[in-house]
Amino acid sequence: MLTKNNFRAALLGCAAVALLGACSGADGVASPGVGAFVPPPTVSPPPTSPPPTSPPPATGGPAADCPSGFSNVGILSDKRICQLPSTINGNLVVPQREGTIYSVAGRTQVGTDTGPDAANPIPGRTQGVLTIEPGVTIFGNSGGDYLLVNRGSQIFAEGEADNPIIMTSRANVEGTATENSIGQWGGLVINGRAPSTDGCNAVTPPNIACEAQVEGSNAFYGGNLPTDNSGRIRYLRLSYSGFEIAPNNELNGITLAGVGNGTTFEYVQVHNSSDDGIEIFGGNVNIRYIVLTGNDDDSFDTDSGWRGAAQFGIVMQRNGGGDFAWETSSRGTNTADFFTRPTYANWTIVMRDNSTRDAIVHNSGHTARVYNSVIRHPGNHQCVNIATNSTLNNPNGVDGNGPLYRSVFFSCAGGNGDGGAAGTTPATDIPDATVEALLTHPSNVLNGTSTLTGGFINGANENAVTASTFPVELNAGIGLGASNTFITGFLTPVDYIGAVRDSSDNWYEGWTCSLPGQPTCH
């Protein structure tokens, strides 16, 4: 969700965030139980095996104890609850064990913020490496419980297709979550040192002066290292998250802030977040194989100069909620060379029948590129909304260019293109015909009849569309300055559109939930 997010100014005062704990530490870290910073340890690669523990009970039931480094805080659903420490310094492995489940309480942070400059980390700050084994479940009790990976630290959460890592709420573990449950714990925040347009003022990114406080926390992101590596996340399912700390300042399902392209992020589902499913602030991270289901605000939100690619994604809203499928915007330095510049490929978007929103909105300072995708909106709303403060109507716009769509199948009951946004007057709206013209290209199908099967799997009409190839230079010929060539090696060339080609294309099976044909999340 796009917000001004003036957290540095006050965070509404420490009293307003008592839920996150008392303000403490040299940089006002709000985290229960966090003491003063200590000298940084030497961080070795993630361990390959967990620390020794007592064996689980031979007859099932809760484990007798917790691994070293965890707090034994009771029993839930016949499993021992082992709570992660509030600050993780050095290496910590969360082992998969019979009879054991793990929890986070308040702000649980990996390392302490080492600053925006990788070559000159802030003295006295600590690094942390959190490794989570396949099959582990971690839960939060309430909205103020969340997991934060600070700049300079890493998370290695690598599940398996038939044994994903689960991050969820206590209610879900207890079996009381429902189809419309949202906002039952905080979520996951990863902060990196890749460039952002936020906080730049008189300088231009990449620059260590370009840093800002992340939405939903008072931790910082941004820096000067596009290749920053925050770790690896694979086969992760995160459910029932999101929490409003203050008006227009929420924890999302997953927040990626200033995350660099040295980070691996793939095979990830966010289900029923009370705010955005995934929101990206700046950085250069590339992501793929993404499933976003039932999220209450935007399913996928990009901001603050993100320069990355997102390939193979499914968005399915639930009837009980959902705003835009995509919202792409920019904050901070809003000039042509530093627009948010996402590249989307092979997405399938399915909006809910009773949605009051268009499927996609492009706001200020964006130059989105969309390839080989399917947009279905059965409600009386459009596929694409280009807001009045977008590139087309912005003094910093480039050659009048808006977003680029190639080999996209539009099937929206309300039409293809919409100019303006809610609350604008007709005199300042972009004409709908102007938006429609941007979408009119021989490779696209306008006003198509959807033949999706199983909710999101291509049918005959979708598979009749010829896929477009990705140009070697993604900005060639459109006057957008800085290059996006670093993502061309990430994108996988395919000869079909949409996220799922046919019934034999099963990359989503085994680790997701509440997609048609998959088990429910609750």
Side-chain angles (χ1 to χ4, degrees), residues 317 322-324 351-352 354-359 377 381-382 422:
Q317 294 186 322
D323 203 3
F324 299 108
M351 300 290 284
R352 58 190 170 103
N354 57 355
S355 172
T356 60
R357 293 290 198 180
D358 300 329
H377 197 331
H381 291 272
Q382 291 88 348

Side-chain angles (χ1 to χ4, degrees), residues 277-288:
I278 295 175
E279 183 162 12
I280 301 181
F281 293 92
N284 303 84
V285 64
N286 294 320
I287 69 176
R288 59 188 163 200

Side-chain angles (χ1 to χ4, degrees), residues 299-362:
S299 294
F300 191 60
D301 194 341
T302 64
D303 201 354
S304 306
W306 175 48
R307 307 291 181 86
Q311 187 173 21
F312 305 115
I314 298 170
V315 170
M316 293 198 76
Q317 294 186 322
R318 75 182 198 282
N319 285 333
D323 203 3
F324 299 108
W326 295 345
E327 181 183 355
T328 179
S329 313
S330 188
R331 300 187 311 183
T333 300
N334 189 17
T335 59
D337 285 341
F338 304 105
F339 282 161
T340 297
R341 194 170 294 159
T343 299
Y344 302 92
N346 294 97
W347 280 69
T348 296
I349 292 172
V350 180
M351 300 290 284
R352 58 190 170 103
D353 291 355
N354 57 355
S355 172
T356 60
R357 293 290 198 180
D358 300 329
I360 293 169
V361 63
H362 298 296

Side-chain angles (χ1 to χ4, degrees), residues 308 310 326 340-345 362 366-371 401-406 474-475 478-480 484:
W326 295 345
T340 297
R341 194 170 294 159
T343 299
Y344 302 92
H362 298 296
H366 70 87
T367 55
R369 300 291 175 255
V370 183
Y371 296 92
N401 284 296
L404 178 148
Y405 283 78
R406 295 293 182 265
L474 284 174
N475 297 328
I478 57 175
L480 290 177
N484 265 4

